[in-house]
């Protein structure tokens, strides 16, 4: 594979045998391979055990499992979309094809516009803008398609101030890139590659973080058709549509089904339906200080965020990081016990039991050591007293010895005196 891979275009799943996500992807991956072969695609589909061939996995920058990459010549493109058959095949066909796809006729232009919700088009001849467009396309082809066309194949409602130009068609209209207002072309395309209003899930929210925009979400229950759920969703849709020129550079709009993911993100329990604005770059969020009754209320709430009068909550400060660690640990323990109580008792009870035994052993050893040390000191003290003073018998003998010694001296002195007297 390493020697011959450049002869073909490869779509490879780098996996680990013990990885649960890899096992979940396996049946989907088999379907991808079968369908790509049946449609006659030039892309070859394969999978590689990255733990057995770690050198090759390291060469392609594989850091997690599963990792899906499309290998095209010297280039390796990472897949970052949902792990569904249709999305993976769409990614493979998009990246394996031409970087810039020409649209030679109005009929083909209409066909492509109906097929794609977001469509980037370069209009004009050779220019520095086209070179920049090709450069950006080589980087962002993993996310969206890039086309080129002449001015005469564009729809009649399109009006261009000048050529060359880069345009995006979405939300039933079009927008022209302006270098002075929109800044860098790559940043502009990265911001505009999403529709103005989205059904947001965890993966989409992660991707929106690359745009640098705040995300205004109506958190609702899609299965609940009550007036309040429908009303909040409609308010967000109307703001996204009617106030695009005011907010599109700073805000992305959408709705999220259920509050499970948003609760884990905010480390709080949100009562649905509600509206929340997320800053995915620093994990801050904003909640309205009063009930959103109309589009005007939502616009006022957004303006308060932009001018800094709305209070930001959360963030990525030290206290919030500590809170996040505690919350994640708590959530993990609770989820383990809910899914498998016996496994939870084994995973968390066994280590606690071992630690308890170790602590008991340490405390017991310290107590016995103190007793032995106390008894040893007491014995040593007793021996010292006996050594210094001696026993009662030894003291009595010492007294008798002194008396005998003194008596002999007195006798000698008496003899000497008698001799002198004589």
């Amino acid at each position: 594979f390493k020697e011959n891979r450049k002869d073909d275009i490869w779509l490879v799943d780098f996996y680990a045998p013990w990885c649960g996500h890899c096992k979940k992807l396996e049946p989907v991956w088999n379907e991808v391979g079968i369908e790509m072969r049946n449609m006659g695609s030039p892309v070859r589909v394969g999978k590689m055990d990255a733990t057995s061939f770690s050198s090759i996995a390291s060469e392609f920058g594989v850091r997690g499992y599963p990792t899906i990459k499309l290998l095209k010549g010297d280039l390796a493109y990472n897949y970052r979309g949902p792990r569904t058959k249709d999305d993976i095949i769409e990614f493979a066909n998009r990246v394996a094809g031409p970087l810039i796809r020409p649209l030679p006729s109005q009929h083909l232009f209409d066909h492509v516009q109906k097929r794609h919700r977001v469509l980037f088009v370069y209009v004009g001849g050779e220019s520095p803008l086209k070179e920049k467009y090709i450069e950006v396309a080589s980087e962002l082809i993993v996310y969206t398609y890039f086309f080129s066309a002449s001015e005469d194949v564009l729809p009649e409602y399109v009006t261009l101030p000048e050529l060359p130009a880069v345009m995006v068609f979405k939300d039933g209209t079009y927008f022209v890139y302006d270098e002075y207002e929109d800044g860098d072309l790559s940043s502009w395309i990265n911001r505009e590659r999403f529709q103005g209003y989205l059904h947001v899930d965890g993966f989409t929210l992660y991707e929106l973080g690359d745009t640098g925009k705040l995300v205004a979400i109506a958190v609702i229950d899609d299965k609940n058709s009550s007036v309040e759920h429908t009303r909040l969703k409609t308010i967000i849709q109307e703001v996204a549509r009617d106030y695009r020129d005011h907010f599109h550079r700073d805000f992305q709009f959408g709705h999220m089904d259920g509050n499970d993911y948003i609760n884990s993100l905010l480390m709080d329990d949100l009562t649905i339906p509600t509206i929340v604005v997320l800053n995915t770059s620093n994990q801050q969020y904003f909640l309205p200080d009063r009930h959103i009754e109309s589009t005007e209320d939502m616009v006022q709430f957004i303006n308060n965020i932009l001018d800094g009068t709305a209070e930001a909550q959360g963030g990525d400060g030290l206290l919030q990081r500590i809170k996040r660690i505690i919350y994640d640990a708590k959530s993990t323990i609770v989820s383990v016990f809910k899914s498998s109580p016996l496994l939870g008792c084994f995973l968390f009870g066994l280590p606690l039991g071992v630690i308890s035994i170790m602590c008991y052993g340490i405390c017991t050893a310290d107590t016995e050591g103190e007793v032995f040390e106390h008894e040893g000191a007491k014995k040593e003290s007793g021996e010292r007293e006996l050594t210094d003073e001696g026993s009662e018998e030894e003291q009595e003998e010492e007294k008798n010895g002194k008396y005998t010694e003194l008596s002999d001296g007195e006798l000698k002195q008496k003899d000497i005196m008698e001799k002198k007297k004589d």
Side-chain angles (χ1 to χ4, degrees), residues 1-2 14-15 47-60 62 65:
F1 168 76
K2 188 174 181 180
F14 293 91
Y15 71 96
K47 59 182 179 179
M48 179 177 292
D49 183 351
T51 61
S52 298
F53 303 97
S54 56
S55 60
I56 297 180
S58 178
E59 178 183 341
F60 291 115
V62 176
Y65 310 112

Side-chain angles (χ1 to χ4, degrees), residues 12 23 42 62 64 174 190 195 326 370 373 378 400 412:
V12 182
K23 294 177 182 178
V62 176
Y174 70 95
N190 196 38
Q195 293 177 276
I326 296 173
E370 290 176 2
E373 184 179 352
K378 191 174 181 181
N400 295 334
K412 288 180 181 180

Side-chain angles (χ1 to χ4, degrees), residues 266-415:
L266 274 54
M267 295 181 289
D268 195 4
D269 292 328
L270 289 183
T271 303
I272 58 174
T274 188
I275 288 176
V276 61
V277 175
L278 303 174
N279 186 340
T280 54
S281 62
N282 61 8
Q283 298 182 1
Q284 287 185 340
Y285 62 94
F286 302 85
L287 296 173
D289 56 359
R290 56 193 177 92
H291 195 62
I292 302 296
E293 295 287 349
S294 63
T295 303
E296 289 72 21
D297 291 340
M298 186 65 200
V299 171
Q300 182 62 48
F301 177 44
I302 292 175
N303 286 327
N304 291 341
I305 295 174
L306 291 176
D307 61 27
T309 57
E311 180 183 0
Q313 303 181 50
D316 54 1
L318 179 60
L319 292 177
Q320 286 296 320
R321 292 179 185 179
I322 295 173
K323 184 180 178 182
R324 168 63 62 184
I325 293 173
I326 296 173
Y327 180 86
D328 290 341
K330 179 182 176 182
S331 300
T332 302
I333 294 172
V334 170
S335 63
V336 169
F337 274 98
K338 282 185 176 180
S339 60
S340 179
L342 293 177
L343 178 62
C345 292
F346 177 78
L347 290 177
F348 299 103
L350 181 61
L352 290 175
V354 173
I355 293 172
S356 300
I357 293 173
M358 291 175 63
C359 293
Y360 176 78
I362 293 171
C363 295
T364 305
D366 290 344
T367 304
E368 291 177 353
E370 290 176 2
V371 171
F372 291 149
E373 184 179 352
H374 178 68
E375 291 179 352
K378 191 174 181 181
K379 183 177 180 182
E380 183 180 353
S381 175
E383 291 177 351
R384 189 182 303 113
E385 290 176 1
L386 292 175
T387 303
D388 294 341
E389 299 180 5
S391 63
E392 293 180 0
E393 294 178 357
E394 290 175 345
Q395 293 178 22
E396 188 67 28
E397 289 177 359
E398 186 177 354
K399 290 179 182 179
N400 295 334
K402 287 181 180 179
Y403 179 78
T404 304
E405 186 178 352
L406 290 174
S407 299
D408 291 342
E410 290 177 356
L411 290 173
K412 288 180 181 180
Q413 187 177 5
K414 188 175 181 180
D415 291 340

Side-chain angles (χ1 to χ4, degrees), residues 26 38 51 55 68 76 83 89-90 102 105 112 171 195 214 258 310 344 402 404 408:
E26 185 174 0
N38 291 340
T51 61
S55 60
I68 299 173
R83 291 169 186 161
I89 291 176
E90 175 76 8
S105 66
V112 170
D171 302 330
Q195 293 177 276
L214 299 175
K402 287 181 180 179
T404 304
D408 291 342

Side-chain angles (χ1 to χ4, degrees), residues 114-348:
K114 291 177 182 178
R115 188 166 178 262
H116 300 287
R117 296 176 179 176
V118 179
L119 189 71
F120 289 96
V121 181
Y122 172 83
V123 182
E126 299 297 325
S127 68
L129 181 61
K130 184 176 182 179
E131 294 177 2
K132 182 65 176 177
Y133 183 72
I134 295 173
E135 179 185 341
V136 174
S138 64
E139 175 188 356
L140 300 181
I141 188 67
V142 294
Y143 299 119
T144 188
Y145 286 90
F146 294 87
F147 298 90
S148 64
S150 58
E151 191 175 9
D152 57 347
V153 304
L154 298 177
E156 295 181 356
Y157 61 83
V158 175
T159 302
L160 293 176
E162 60 180 1
L163 292 177
V166 176
M167 313 169 61
V168 58
F169 291 83
K170 65 176 184 178
D171 302 330
T173 184
Y174 70 95
F175 308 96
V176 181
Y177 166 67
D178 187 323
E179 182 178 2
Y180 298 101
E181 292 187 5
D182 299 316
D184 180 65
L185 178 62
S186 177
S187 300
W188 179 76
I189 291 178
N190 196 38
R191 291 195 305 270
E192 296 294 339
R193 63 187 175 92
F194 296 98
Q195 293 177 276
Y197 182 89
L198 296 170
H199 180 185
V200 180
D201 56 15
F203 174 79
T204 306
L205 194 59
Y206 173 80
E207 288 294 303
L208 288 172
D210 294 338
T211 66
K213 293 183 178 182
L214 299 175
V215 186
I217 303 174
V219 185
I220 62 173
D221 182 358
D222 276 339
K223 297 178 182 179
N224 192 324
S225 58
S226 65
V227 175
E228 185 66 10
H229 287 256
T230 305
R231 186 179 62 81
L232 288 182
K233 182 179 178 180
T234 302
I235 287 175
I236 296 292
Q237 288 174 330
E238 290 178 353
V239 172
R241 182 188 68 237
D242 300 338
Y243 293 85
R244 185 193 186 281
D245 292 340
H246 296 86
F247 301 135
H248 80 279
R249 286 186 175 87
D250 301 301
F251 279 85
Q252 174 68 48
F253 299 92
H255 78 275
M256 178 174 284
D257 181 19
N259 61 349
D260 291 340
Y261 184 84
I262 207 74
N263 285 346
S264 64
L265 193 66
L266 274 54
M267 295 181 289
D268 195 4
D269 292 328
L270 289 183
T271 303
I272 58 174
T274 188
I275 288 176
V276 61
V277 175
L278 303 174
N279 186 340
T280 54
S281 62
N282 61 8
Q283 298 182 1
Q284 287 185 340
Y285 62 94
F286 302 85
L287 296 173
D289 56 359
R290 56 193 177 92
H291 195 62
I292 302 296
E293 295 287 349
S294 63
T295 303
E296 289 72 21
D297 291 340
M298 186 65 200
V299 171
Q300 182 62 48
F301 177 44
I302 292 175
N303 286 327
N304 291 341
I305 295 174
L306 291 176
D307 61 27
T309 57
E311 180 183 0
Q313 303 181 50
D316 54 1
L318 179 60
L319 292 177
Q320 286 296 320
R321 292 179 185 179
I322 295 173
K323 184 180 178 182
R324 168 63 62 184
I325 293 173
I326 296 173
Y327 180 86
D328 290 341
K330 179 182 176 182
S331 300
T332 302
I333 294 172
V334 170
S335 63
V336 169
F337 274 98
K338 282 185 176 180
S339 60
S340 179
L342 293 177
L343 178 62
C345 292
F346 177 78
L347 290 177
F348 299 103

